[in-house]
Amino acid sequence: MNFDLSDEQRAIRDTFARFCDERIAPQAAALDEAHAFPRALFRELAELGFFGMRYPESVGGTGLALTEFCLALTEVARGSMSLAGAVAMQSLMGTKFLQLLGNPDIVERLFKPALRGDKIGAICMTEPNAGSDLESIATTATKVDGGYVINGQKTWITSAPLADFFTVFARAGDEKKLTIFLVEKESRGLVVGREIHKMGVWALPTSEVAFNDCFVPDSHRLSKEEGDGEGHLRKTLAEIRIITGAMALGVARAALDEAVRYAGERQQFGKPINRFQAIQLKLAEMATGLEAATALVHRAAWLCDAKRPHHKEAAMAKLFATETAASICDQAARVLASYGYAMEYPVQRYLRDVRFTLIGGGTSEILKLVIAKELSA
């Protein structure tokens, strides 16, 4: 076994680590407090080729593997979870089905500009009564002359107020099976509703979206056949879980670094608090958990890149990485004590933002059921 990164992987990691240290981290707190979408940083990441990392060169990407993408995304999340969530959406869920299933016009007019950061994409799957339970998705797409009419309500839509296009999952055909559609923001009947105010990722807007007799032409049915949406979604779900784990690694690293820094500077009883065993034990446990989570995420990404079975490993990586990151952020706040509760220190932001990773891609409870099912198969 060789756990070393290749020269290319190290170069990618180091490039985005520098970008985090020089561009993201200095602005993260201000963006968060202002609830301001980091549009300038979003565009700068586009210029660095971030959005095209997972796509082939033939459509404007760089054709890199999931492992390289995770290395880059972890560094972005180390600086700002809001920005990491936005660029993860843009790089995968918001654009993948356009590249995979879209016609040449869609690819040229929407997908390629999205890789350049000129357009923003979002995905509409979650509904008020449908999260992990895909069978409860109730949005419908009724066939009419020249296209479909979509009706339904979606919620928790990341980047919705900013999006130029939406990938929408709705039930179509006689059997009412999940089908994938593209809806552009100018479409009549598309309504971006109220913004959902969250405890974390304040710089990343999240809203409800409604479809009221929203017409989309036949060319905007991305599914090759009515009802193939669930199959495409399940193939993508493992990748979503792995990159969510990668984001968790970033915020966990930021929290651990802050705890180590503070423990070396804070003096009590005549010496730095990192000289006390109670603090040393916390730091050791945090660092060990982060190393284990990193190994799980990177192995799951490697299995995916190698086109080997990885659904169980993706669920394990997401489960362990996000729960461990939540624990590390909590322990970091304890190391800082009262300052971990102060808005002037970044730990409170890490503690709020890490909750974001516990939800996307499946809750911990759902992931445990997925893992158990895989073990019993």
Side-chain angles (χ1 to χ4, degrees):
M1 293 181 289
N2 182 2
F3 293 98
D4 289 335
L5 298 179
S6 68
D7 290 342
E8 181 184 40
Q9 289 170 338
R10 278 194 296 272
I12 290 169
R13 181 199 61 192
D14 293 347
T15 295
F16 288 97
R18 284 193 300 272
F19 186 81
C20 170
D21 294 337
E22 296 171 5
R23 298 290 302 134
I24 304 175
Q27 304 181 57
L31 289 166
D32 195 60
E33 291 170 8
H35 292 240
F37 180 75
R39 189 175 292 275
L41 293 171
F42 186 88
R43 287 191 173 275
E44 289 177 46
L45 283 170
E47 291 170 4
L48 284 174
F50 188 90
F51 300 149
M53 290 179 71
R54 296 289 292 125
Y55 295 116
E57 295 181 9
S58 60
V59 292
T62 51
L64 293 171
L66 182 59
T67 300
E68 285 75 52
F69 181 79
C70 286
L71 290 169
L73 182 59
T74 294
E75 296 300 331
V76 176
R78 183 169 61 83
S80 166
M81 184 62 74
S82 291
L83 180 60
V87 299
M89 172 62 66
Q90 183 80 353
S91 303
L92 178 61
M93 296 83 81
T95 52
K96 179 171 183 175
F97 296 109
L98 272 67
Q99 185 271 327
L100 184 67
L101 303 170
N103 59 40
D105 172 67
I106 289 171
V107 171
E108 290 295 328
R109 190 168 53 81
L110 297 175
F111 174 75
K112 289 184 177 180
L115 295 194
R116 300 192 297 268
D118 296 332
K119 291 187 180 294
I120 295 177
I123 190 167
C124 295
M125 184 179 66
T126 302
E127 297 184 2
N129 293 313
S132 299
D133 181 12
L134 299 181
E135 295 298 322
S136 293
I137 290 178
T139 298
T140 60
T142 304
K143 187 72 180 76
V144 296
D145 288 342
Y148 291 80
V149 173
I150 299 178
N151 281 284
Q153 182 81 24
K154 300 290 185 179
T155 190
W156 290 104
I157 308 306
T158 300
S159 301
L162 309 167
D164 296 289
F165 57 86
F166 300 81
T167 300
V168 182
F169 284 77
R171 298 197 174 279
D174 294 336
E175 298 183 9
K176 299 297 182 184
K177 290 187 175 182
L178 286 183
T179 306
I180 311 171
F181 296 90
L182 168 67
V183 179
E184 300 186 51
K185 70 175 182 180
E186 300 87 359
S187 301
R188 188 171 62 184
L190 168 68
V191 179
V192 176
R194 72 175 183 93
E195 183 173 347
I196 299 170
H197 298 288
K198 311 178 297 297
M199 70 176 288
V201 289
W202 288 348
L204 178 60
T206 306
S207 298
E208 295 177 344
V209 175
F211 301 92
N212 302 321
D213 291 332
C214 180
F215 175 79
V216 294
D218 285 323
S219 61
H220 282 39
R221 189 190 82 185
L222 296 177
S223 288
K224 299 303 182 185
E225 298 177 354
E226 290 180 342
D228 69 3
E230 185 170 343
H232 285 297
L233 182 61
R234 293 196 183 281
K235 289 179 181 178
T236 306
L237 195 53
E239 195 167 351
I240 293 172
R241 288 169 175 163
I242 293 168
I243 69 170
T244 304
M247 288 192 287
L249 298 180
V251 70
R253 169 57 64 186
L256 175 59
D257 288 348
E258 179 65 9
V260 170
R261 183 201 64 77
Y262 181 86
E265 295 178 357
R266 174 67 167 171
Q267 297 253 345
Q268 287 290 281
F269 306 104
K271 56 185 176 181
I273 63 172
N274 66 4
R275 300 284 297 278
F276 295 101
Q277 284 189 344
I279 299 299
Q280 292 172 346
L281 296 179
K282 286 185 186 296
L283 297 178
E285 290 175 356
M286 294 159 69
T288 302
L290 181 56
E291 285 294 323
T294 300
L296 279 173
V297 171
H298 288 182
R299 181 171 183 271
W302 175 78
L303 287 170
C304 180
D305 291 335
K307 295 181 169 49
R308 294 170 61 174
H310 59 278
H311 289 274
K312 172 170 62 61
E313 289 78 7
M316 287 177 169
K318 198 269 184 184
L319 171 65
F320 188 81
T322 57
E323 289 288 354
T324 299
S327 176
I328 289 172
C329 292
D330 177 63
Q331 291 301 314
R334 292 168 187 258
V335 170
L336 270 70
S338 56
Y339 289 112
Y341 200 57
M343 296 301 287
E344 63 186 284
Y345 282 77
V347 168
Q348 51 78 26
R349 174 161 48 88
Y350 306 149
L351 192 57
R352 290 185 289 106
D353 285 354
V354 73
R355 308 294 301 180
F356 177 75
T357 68
L358 291 169
I359 302 165
T363 64
S364 294
E365 291 73 21
I366 288 293
L367 295 172
K368 290 175 184 177
L369 294 177
V370 169
I371 295 165
K373 185 177 179 180
E374 290 278 346
L375 291 173
S376 301

